[in-house]
Amino acid sequence: MLLKKLLPSLPLILAIAFTPSARAEQPQLQPFASGSYQQILANNADHPFMLVIWSITCSSCLKDMELLNSLHKENPDLKMIMLAADTEDDTDQIQQILGKNQLTEIDNWVFADENAQKLRFEIDPKWYGELPRTYFFDASHQRTGISGVMSRADYETMFAKILK
């Protein structure tokens, strides 16, 4: 009897049940253009932070997302900023990845200039685009840049260095 009453509502019930929860928590992607790097530095003056540069096409970057989520939860006092080295055309896919990995509450940026080389140069003239690329800034904004995959121990070592 109850089933007969619920049957007309079944499509709506199924739609609600299978709607990804990440959709409710879409990250706000800020456009990263010329001058944005200086803006990030100014907004974080006198505070240590970590800048993670990644891409939707970088398999190592995608594998690191779960670890980054875990590190963020374990170190809530350390600001983490994510920068997708993709284009604004990739916004939906970037948001899905960030939502799936519960990285929606942090600062999220996406390259917003067609000249990616210019943006990379503005961040670091010695960086040629290899990903993932992570920068660790201490409170005086002395930075260390690391290309490639990092282990949990590597991150913890860098956190200890910039938080002292």
Coordinates of all heavy atoms in Angstrom, one line a residue, residues 32-111:
F32 N 42.9 33.7 -12.3 CA 44.3 34.0 -12.1 C 44.9 34.7 -13.4 O 45.1 34.0 -14.4 CB 45.1 32.8 -11.7 CG 46.5 33.0 -11.3 CD1 46.8 33.2 -9.9 CD2 47.6 33.1 -12.2 CE1 48.1 33.5 -9.5 CE2 48.9 33.3 -11.7 CZ 49.1 33.5 -10.4
A33 N 45.1 36.0 -13.3 CA 45.6 36.7 -14.4 C 46.9 37.5 -14.0 O 47.3 37.3 -12.9 CB 44.5 37.7 -14.9
S34 N 47.4 38.3 -14.9 CA 48.6 39.1 -14.5 C 48.3 39.9 -13.3 O 47.2 40.6 -13.3 CB 49.0 39.9 -15.7 OG 50.2 40.6 -15.4
G35 N 49.1 39.9 -12.3 CA 48.9 40.6 -11.1 C 48.3 39.8 -10.0 O 48.3 40.1 -8.8
S36 N 47.7 38.6 -10.3 CA 47.1 37.8 -9.3 C 48.1 37.2 -8.3 O 47.7 37.1 -7.1 CB 46.3 36.6 -9.9 OG 45.2 37.1 -10.7
Y37 N 49.2 36.9 -8.7 CA 50.2 36.3 -7.8 C 50.6 37.3 -6.7 O 50.7 37.0 -5.5 CB 51.5 35.9 -8.6 CG 52.6 35.3 -7.7 CD1 52.5 34.1 -7.1 CD2 53.8 36.1 -7.5 CE1 53.5 33.6 -6.3 CE2 54.8 35.6 -6.8 CZ 54.7 34.3 -6.1 OH 55.7 33.9 -5.3
Q38 N 50.8 38.6 -7.1 CA 51.1 39.6 -6.2 C 49.9 39.9 -5.2 O 50.1 40.2 -4.1 CB 51.5 40.9 -6.9 CG 52.8 40.9 -7.6 CD 54.0 40.5 -6.7 OE1 54.1 41.0 -5.6 NE2 54.8 39.6 -7.2
Q39 N 48.7 39.7 -5.7 CA 47.5 39.8 -4.9 C 47.5 38.8 -3.8 O 47.2 39.0 -2.7 CB 46.3 39.8 -5.8 CG 45.0 39.8 -5.0 CD 43.8 39.6 -5.9 OE1 43.8 39.7 -7.1 NE2 42.6 39.3 -5.3
I40 N 47.8 37.5 -4.2 CA 47.9 36.4 -3.3 C 48.9 36.7 -2.2 O 48.6 36.5 -1.0 CB 48.2 35.1 -4.0 CG1 46.9 34.7 -4.8 CG2 48.6 34.0 -3.0 CD1 47.2 33.5 -5.7
L41 N 50.1 37.2 -2.6 CA 51.1 37.5 -1.6 C 50.6 38.6 -0.7 O 50.8 38.5 0.6 CB 52.4 37.9 -2.3 CG 53.1 36.9 -3.1 CD1 54.3 37.5 -3.8 CD2 53.5 35.7 -2.2
A42 N 50.0 39.6 -1.2 CA 49.5 40.8 -0.4 C 48.4 40.3 0.6 O 48.4 40.7 1.7 CB 49.0 41.9 -1.3
N43 N 47.5 39.4 0.1 CA 46.4 39.0 0.9 C 46.9 38.1 2.1 O 46.2 37.8 3.0 CB 45.4 38.2 0.1 CG 44.6 39.1 -0.8 OD1 44.6 40.3 -0.7 ND2 43.9 38.5 -1.8
N44 N 48.1 37.5 1.9 CA 48.6 36.6 2.9 C 49.9 37.2 3.6 O 50.7 36.4 4.1 CB 48.9 35.3 2.3 CG 47.6 34.6 1.8 OD1 46.9 34.1 2.7 ND2 47.4 34.6 0.5
A45 N 50.0 38.5 3.6 CA 51.2 39.1 4.2 C 51.3 38.7 5.7 O 50.4 38.6 6.4 CB 51.0 40.6 4.2
D46 N 52.6 38.3 6.0 CA 52.9 37.9 7.4 C 52.3 36.6 7.8 O 52.3 36.3 9.0 CB 52.5 39.0 8.4 CG 53.2 40.3 8.1 OD1 54.4 40.3 7.7 OD2 52.6 41.4 8.3
H47 N 51.8 35.8 6.8 CA 51.3 34.5 7.2 C 51.9 33.4 6.3 O 52.0 33.6 5.1 CB 49.8 34.5 7.0 CG 49.0 35.5 7.8 ND1 48.8 35.3 9.2 CD2 48.5 36.7 7.6 CE1 48.2 36.3 9.7 NE2 48.0 37.2 8.7
P48 N 52.2 32.3 6.9 CA 52.7 31.2 6.0 C 51.6 30.6 5.2 O 50.4 30.6 5.7 CB 53.3 30.2 7.0 CG 52.6 30.5 8.3 CD 52.2 31.9 8.3
F49 N 51.9 30.1 4.1 CA 50.8 29.4 3.3 C 51.5 28.5 2.3 O 52.7 28.5 2.0 CB 49.9 30.4 2.6 CG 50.5 31.2 1.5 CD1 50.3 30.9 0.2 CD2 51.2 32.4 1.8 CE1 50.8 31.6 -0.9 CE2 51.7 33.2 0.8 CZ 51.5 32.8 -0.6
M50 N 50.6 27.7 1.6 CA 51.1 26.7 0.6 C 50.3 27.0 -0.6 O 49.1 27.1 -0.6 CB 50.8 25.3 1.1 CG 51.2 24.2 0.1 SD 51.1 22.5 0.8 CE 49.4 22.3 1.0
L51 N 51.0 27.1 -1.8 CA 50.4 27.3 -3.1 C 50.6 26.0 -3.9 O 51.7 25.6 -4.1 CB 51.0 28.5 -3.8 CG 50.5 28.7 -5.3 CD1 49.0 29.0 -5.3 CD2 51.3 29.8 -5.9
V52 N 49.5 25.3 -4.2 CA 49.5 24.1 -5.0 C 49.1 24.3 -6.4 O 47.9 24.7 -6.6 CB 48.6 23.0 -4.3 CG1 48.7 21.7 -5.1 CG2 49.0 22.7 -2.9
I53 N 49.9 24.1 -7.4 CA 49.6 24.3 -8.8 C 49.4 22.9 -9.4 O 50.3 22.1 -9.3 CB 50.7 25.1 -9.5 CG1 50.9 26.4 -8.8 CG2 50.2 25.4 -10.9 CD1 52.1 27.2 -9.3
W54 N 48.2 22.7 -10.0 CA 47.8 21.4 -10.5 C 47.1 21.6 -11.8 O 46.8 22.7 -12.2 CB 47.0 20.7 -9.4 CG 45.6 21.4 -9.2 CD1 45.4 22.5 -8.5 CD2 44.4 20.9 -9.7 NE1 44.1 22.8 -8.5 CE2 43.4 21.9 -9.2 CE3 44.0 19.8 -10.4 CZ2 42.1 21.7 -9.5 CZ3 42.6 19.7 -10.7 CH2 41.7 20.7 -10.2
S55 N 46.7 20.4 -12.4 CA 45.9 20.5 -13.6 C 45.0 19.3 -13.7 O 45.3 18.2 -13.2 CB 46.8 20.5 -14.8 OG 46.1 20.4 -16.0
I56 N 43.9 19.4 -14.4 CA 43.0 18.3 -14.6 C 43.6 17.2 -15.5 O 43.1 16.1 -15.5 CB 41.6 18.8 -15.2 CG1 41.8 19.5 -16.5 CG2 40.9 19.7 -14.2 CD1 40.5 19.8 -17.3
T57 N 44.6 17.6 -16.2 CA 45.3 16.6 -17.1 C 46.5 16.0 -16.5 O 47.2 15.2 -17.2 CB 45.7 17.3 -18.5 OG1 46.6 18.4 -18.2 CG2 44.4 17.9 -19.2
C58 N 46.8 16.3 -15.3 CA 48.0 15.8 -14.6 C 47.6 14.6 -13.7 O 47.0 14.9 -12.6 CB 48.6 16.9 -13.8 SG 49.9 16.4 -12.6
S59 N 47.9 13.4 -14.1 CA 47.4 12.2 -13.3 C 48.1 12.3 -11.9 O 47.4 11.9 -10.9 CB 47.7 10.9 -14.0 OG 49.1 10.8 -14.2
S60 N 49.3 12.7 -11.8 CA 49.9 12.8 -10.4 C 49.2 13.8 -9.5 O 49.0 13.6 -8.3 CB 51.4 13.1 -10.6 OG 52.1 12.1 -11.2
C61 N 48.8 14.9 -10.2 CA 48.1 15.9 -9.4 C 46.8 15.4 -8.9 O 46.4 15.6 -7.7 CB 47.7 17.1 -10.3 SG 49.2 17.9 -11.0
L62 N 46.1 14.6 -9.7 CA 44.8 14.1 -9.3 C 44.9 13.0 -8.2 O 44.1 12.9 -7.3 CB 44.0 13.5 -10.5 CG 43.7 14.5 -11.6 CD1 43.1 13.8 -12.8 CD2 42.9 15.6 -11.1
K63 N 46.0 12.3 -8.3 CA 46.2 11.3 -7.2 C 46.5 11.9 -5.9 O 46.3 11.4 -4.8 CB 47.4 10.4 -7.6 CG 47.1 9.4 -8.7 CD 48.3 8.6 -9.1 CE 48.1 7.8 -10.3 NZ 49.3 7.1 -10.8
D64 N 47.1 13.1 -5.9 CA 47.5 13.9 -4.7 C 46.3 14.5 -4.0 O 46.4 14.9 -2.8 CB 48.5 15.0 -5.0 CG 49.9 14.4 -5.1 OD1 50.2 13.2 -4.8 OD2 50.8 15.2 -5.5
M65 N 45.2 14.6 -4.7 CA 44.1 15.4 -4.1 C 43.6 14.8 -2.8 O 43.3 15.6 -1.8 CB 42.9 15.4 -5.1 CG 43.1 16.2 -6.3 SD 43.3 18.0 -5.9 CE 43.6 18.7 -7.5
E66 N 43.5 13.5 -2.6 CA 43.1 12.9 -1.4 C 44.1 13.3 -0.2 O 43.6 13.6 0.9 CB 43.0 11.4 -1.5 CG 42.3 10.7 -0.4 CD 42.1 9.2 -0.6 OE1 41.8 8.9 -1.7 OE2 42.3 8.5 0.4
L67 N 45.4 13.2 -0.5 CA 46.4 13.6 0.5 C 46.2 15.0 0.8 O 46.3 15.4 2.0 CB 47.8 13.2 0.0 CG 48.9 13.6 0.8 CD1 48.8 13.0 2.2 CD2 50.3 13.3 0.2
L68 N 46.1 15.9 -0.2 CA 45.9 17.3 0.1 C 44.7 17.6 1.0 O 44.8 18.4 1.9 CB 45.8 18.1 -1.2 CG 47.1 18.2 -2.0 CD1 46.8 18.8 -3.4 CD2 48.2 18.9 -1.3
N69 N 43.6 16.9 0.8 CA 42.4 17.1 1.6 C 42.8 16.7 3.0 O 42.4 17.4 4.0 CB 41.3 16.2 1.1 CG 40.1 16.3 2.0 OD1 39.8 17.2 2.7 ND2 39.3 15.2 2.0
S70 N 43.4 15.5 3.2 CA 43.8 15.1 4.5 C 44.7 16.0 5.2 O 44.5 16.4 6.4 CB 44.5 13.7 4.4 OG 44.9 13.2 5.6
L71 N 45.7 16.5 4.5 CA 46.7 17.5 5.1 C 46.0 18.8 5.5 O 46.3 19.4 6.6 CB 47.8 17.8 4.1 CG 48.8 16.6 3.8 CD1 49.6 17.0 2.6 CD2 49.6 16.4 5.1
H72 N 45.0 19.2 4.7 CA 44.3 20.4 5.0 C 43.5 20.3 6.3 O 43.4 21.1 7.1 CB 43.3 20.8 3.8 CG 42.5 22.0 4.1 ND1 43.0 23.2 4.3 CD2 41.1 22.1 4.2 CE1 42.0 24.1 4.6 NE2 40.8 23.4 4.5
K73 N 42.8 19.1 6.4 CA 42.0 18.9 7.6 C 42.9 18.7 8.9 O 42.5 19.2 10.0 CB 41.2 17.6 7.5 CG 40.0 17.8 6.5 CD 39.3 16.5 6.3 CE 38.1 16.7 5.4 NZ 37.3 15.5 5.1
E74 N 44.1 18.2 8.7 CA 45.0 18.0 9.8 C 45.8 19.3 10.2 O 46.3 19.4 11.3 CB 46.0 16.9 9.5 CG 45.4 15.5 9.4 CD 46.4 14.5 8.7 OE1 47.6 14.8 8.6 OE2 45.9 13.4 8.3
N75 N 45.8 20.2 9.3 CA 46.6 21.5 9.5 C 45.7 22.7 9.2 O 46.0 23.5 8.3 CB 47.8 21.5 8.7 CG 48.7 20.3 8.9 OD1 49.5 20.4 9.9 ND2 48.7 19.3 8.1
P76 N 44.6 22.9 9.9 CA 43.6 23.9 9.5 C 44.2 25.3 9.7 O 43.7 26.3 9.1 CB 42.5 23.7 10.5 CG 43.1 23.0 11.7 CD 44.2 22.1 11.1
D77 N 45.3 25.5 10.4 CA 45.9 26.8 10.6 C 46.8 27.2 9.4 O 47.2 28.4 9.3 CB 46.7 26.9 11.9 CG 45.8 26.7 13.1 OD1 44.6 27.1 13.0 OD2 46.3 26.3 14.2
L78 N 47.2 26.2 8.6 CA 48.0 26.5 7.5 C 47.1 26.8 6.3 O 46.4 25.9 5.8 CB 49.0 25.4 7.2 CG 49.9 25.6 5.9 CD1 50.8 26.8 6.1 CD2 50.7 24.4 5.7
K79 N 47.2 28.0 5.7 CA 46.4 28.3 4.5 C 46.9 27.5 3.3 O 48.1 27.5 3.0 CB 46.4 29.8 4.3 CG 45.5 30.2 3.1 CD 45.2 31.6 3.1 CE 44.2 31.9 2.1 NZ 43.8 33.3 2.1
M80 N 46.0 26.9 2.6 CA 46.3 26.2 1.4 C 45.6 26.9 0.2 O 44.4 27.2 0.4 CB 45.8 24.8 1.5 CG 46.1 23.9 0.2 SD 45.5 22.2 0.2 CE 46.3 21.5 1.6
I81 N 46.3 27.2 -0.8 CA 45.7 27.8 -2.0 C 45.9 26.9 -3.2 O 47.0 26.4 -3.4 CB 46.3 29.2 -2.3 CG1 46.1 30.1 -1.1 CG2 45.8 29.8 -3.6 CD1 46.9 31.4 -1.1
M82 N 44.9 26.6 -3.9 CA 45.0 25.7 -5.1 C 44.9 26.6 -6.4 O 44.0 27.4 -6.5 CB 43.9 24.7 -5.1 CG 43.8 23.8 -3.8 SD 45.0 22.5 -3.8 CE 44.4 21.4 -5.1
L83 N 45.8 26.3 -7.3 CA 45.7 27.0 -8.6 C 45.7 26.0 -9.7 O 46.7 25.3 -9.9 CB 47.0 27.9 -8.7 CG 47.2 28.6 -10.1 CD1 46.1 29.4 -10.6 CD2 48.5 29.4 -10.0
A84 N 44.6 26.0 -10.5 CA 44.5 25.1 -11.6 C 45.2 25.7 -12.8 O 44.8 26.8 -13.2 CB 43.1 24.7 -11.9
A85 N 46.2 25.0 -13.4 CA 46.9 25.6 -14.5 C 46.2 25.1 -15.8 O 46.8 24.7 -16.8 CB 48.3 25.1 -14.5
D86 N 44.9 25.3 -15.8 CA 44.0 25.0 -16.9 C 43.4 26.3 -17.4 O 43.9 27.4 -17.0 CB 42.9 24.0 -16.5 CG 43.5 22.7 -15.9 OD1 44.2 21.9 -16.7 OD2 43.4 22.4 -14.7
T87 N 42.3 26.2 -18.1 CA 41.6 27.5 -18.5 C 40.2 27.6 -17.9 O 39.7 26.6 -17.4 CB 41.5 27.5 -20.1 OG1 40.6 26.5 -20.5 CG2 42.8 27.3 -20.7
E88 N 39.7 28.7 -18.0 CA 38.3 28.9 -17.5 C 37.3 28.0 -18.2 O 36.2 27.7 -17.6 CB 37.9 30.4 -17.5 CG 38.7 31.2 -16.6 CD 38.4 32.7 -16.7 OE1 38.6 33.3 -17.8 OE2 38.0 33.3 -15.6
D89 N 37.6 27.6 -19.4 CA 36.8 26.6 -20.1 C 36.6 25.3 -19.4 O 35.7 24.5 -19.6 CB 37.3 26.4 -21.5 CG 37.2 27.6 -22.4 OD1 36.4 28.5 -22.1 OD2 37.9 27.6 -23.5
D90 N 37.6 25.0 -18.5 CA 37.6 23.8 -17.8 C 37.0 23.9 -16.4 O 37.1 23.0 -15.5 CB 39.1 23.3 -17.6 CG 39.7 23.0 -18.9 OD1 39.1 22.4 -19.8 OD2 40.9 23.5 -19.1
T91 N 36.3 25.0 -16.1 CA 35.7 25.3 -14.8 C 34.9 24.1 -14.3 O 35.0 23.7 -13.1 CB 34.9 26.6 -14.8 OG1 35.8 27.6 -15.1 CG2 34.2 26.8 -13.5
D92 N 34.0 23.5 -15.0 CA 33.1 22.5 -14.5 C 33.9 21.3 -14.1 O 33.7 20.8 -13.0 CB 32.1 22.0 -15.6 CG 31.0 23.0 -15.9 OD1 30.8 24.0 -15.1 OD2 30.4 22.9 -16.9
Q93 N 34.9 20.9 -14.8 CA 35.7 19.7 -14.5 C 36.6 20.0 -13.2 O 36.7 19.2 -12.3 CB 36.6 19.3 -15.6 CG 37.2 17.9 -15.4 CD 37.8 17.4 -16.7 OE1 37.8 18.0 -17.7 NE2 38.4 16.2 -16.6
I94 N 37.1 21.2 -13.2 CA 37.9 21.6 -12.0 C 37.0 21.6 -10.7 O 37.4 21.1 -9.7 CB 38.5 23.1 -12.2 CG1 39.5 23.0 -13.3 CG2 39.1 23.6 -10.9 CD1 39.9 24.4 -13.9
Q95 N 35.8 22.2 -10.8 CA 34.9 22.2 -9.7 C 34.5 20.8 -9.2 O 34.4 20.5 -8.1 CB 33.7 23.0 -10.0 CG 33.9 24.5 -10.1 CD 32.7 25.3 -10.5 OE1 31.9 24.9 -11.3 NE2 32.6 26.5 -10.0
Q96 N 34.3 19.9 -10.2 CA 34.0 18.5 -9.9 C 35.1 17.8 -9.1 O 34.9 17.2 -8.1 CB 33.7 17.7 -11.1 CG 32.4 18.0 -11.8 CD 32.1 17.2 -13.1 OE1 33.0 16.5 -13.5 NE2 31.0 17.4 -13.6
I97 N 36.3 18.0 -9.5 CA 37.5 17.4 -8.9 C 37.7 18.0 -7.5 O 37.9 17.2 -6.5 CB 38.8 17.6 -9.7 CG1 38.6 16.8 -11.0 CG2 40.0 17.2 -8.9 CD1 39.7 17.2 -12.1
L98 N 37.6 19.3 -7.3 CA 37.7 19.9 -6.0 C 36.6 19.5 -5.1 O 36.8 19.2 -3.9 CB 37.8 21.4 -6.2 CG 39.0 22.0 -6.9 CD1 38.8 23.5 -7.2 CD2 40.3 21.8 -6.1
G99 N 35.4 19.4 -5.6 CA 34.2 19.0 -4.8 C 34.4 17.6 -4.3 O 34.1 17.2 -3.2
K100 N 34.7 16.7 -5.3 CA 34.9 15.3 -4.9 C 36.0 15.1 -3.9 O 35.8 14.2 -3.0 CB 35.3 14.5 -6.2 CG 35.6 13.1 -6.0 CD 36.1 12.4 -7.3 CE 36.7 11.0 -7.0 NZ 37.4 10.5 -8.1
N101 N 37.0 15.9 -3.8 CA 38.1 15.8 -2.9 C 37.9 16.7 -1.7 O 38.9 16.9 -0.9 CB 39.4 16.0 -3.6 CG 39.7 14.9 -4.5 OD1 40.1 13.8 -4.1 ND2 39.5 15.1 -5.8
Q102 N 36.7 17.3 -1.5 CA 36.4 18.2 -0.4 C 37.5 19.3 -0.2 O 37.9 19.6 0.9 CB 36.3 17.4 0.9 CG 35.2 16.3 0.8 CD 35.2 15.4 2.0 OE1 36.0 15.5 2.9 NE2 34.3 14.4 2.0
L103 N 37.8 19.9 -1.3 CA 38.7 21.1 -1.3 C 38.0 22.4 -1.8 O 38.6 23.2 -2.4 CB 39.9 20.8 -2.2 CG 40.8 19.6 -1.7 CD1 41.8 19.2 -2.8 CD2 41.6 20.1 -0.4
T104 N 36.7 22.5 -1.4 CA 35.9 23.6 -1.9 C 36.0 24.8 -1.0 O 35.7 25.9 -1.4 CB 34.5 23.2 -2.0 OG1 34.0 22.7 -0.7 CG2 34.3 22.1 -3.1
E105 N 36.5 24.6 0.3 CA 36.5 25.7 1.3 C 37.7 26.5 1.2 O 37.8 27.5 2.0 CB 36.2 25.1 2.7 CG 34.9 24.5 2.8 CD 34.7 23.8 4.2 OE1 35.5 24.0 5.0 OE2 33.7 23.1 4.3
I106 N 38.7 26.1 0.4 CA 40.0 26.9 0.4 C 40.0 27.8 -0.8 O 39.0 27.8 -1.6 CB 41.2 25.9 0.3 CG1 41.1 25.0 -0.9 CG2 41.2 25.0 1.6 CD1 42.3 24.1 -1.1
D107 N 41.0 28.6 -0.9 CA 41.1 29.5 -2.1 C 41.4 28.7 -3.3 O 42.4 28.0 -3.3 CB 42.2 30.6 -1.8 CG 41.8 31.7 -0.9 OD1 40.6 31.7 -0.4 OD2 42.7 32.5 -0.6
N108 N 40.6 28.9 -4.3 CA 40.8 28.1 -5.6 C 40.9 29.1 -6.7 O 40.0 30.0 -6.8 CB 39.7 27.1 -5.8 CG 39.8 25.9 -4.9 OD1 40.7 25.1 -5.1 ND2 38.9 25.8 -3.9
W109 N 41.9 29.0 -7.6 CA 42.1 29.9 -8.7 C 42.3 29.0 -9.9 O 42.6 27.8 -9.9 CB 43.4 30.6 -8.5 CG 43.4 31.6 -7.3 CD1 43.5 31.2 -6.0 CD2 43.4 33.0 -7.3 NE1 43.5 32.4 -5.2 CE2 43.4 33.4 -6.0 CE3 43.3 33.9 -8.4 CZ2 43.4 34.8 -5.7 CZ3 43.3 35.3 -8.1 CH2 43.3 35.7 -6.7
V110 N 42.1 29.7 -11.1 CA 42.3 29.0 -12.4 C 42.9 30.0 -13.3 O 42.6 31.2 -13.3 CB 40.9 28.5 -13.0 CG1 39.9 29.6 -13.2 CG2 41.2 27.7 -14.3
F111 N 43.9 29.6 -14.1 CA 44.5 30.4 -15.1 C 43.4 31.1 -15.9 O 42.5 30.5 -16.5 CB 45.4 29.7 -16.0 CG 46.8 29.4 -15.5 CD1 47.2 29.7 -14.2 CD2 47.8 28.9 -16.3 CE1 48.4 29.5 -13.7 CE2 49.1 28.7 -15.8 CZ 49.4 29.0 -14.5

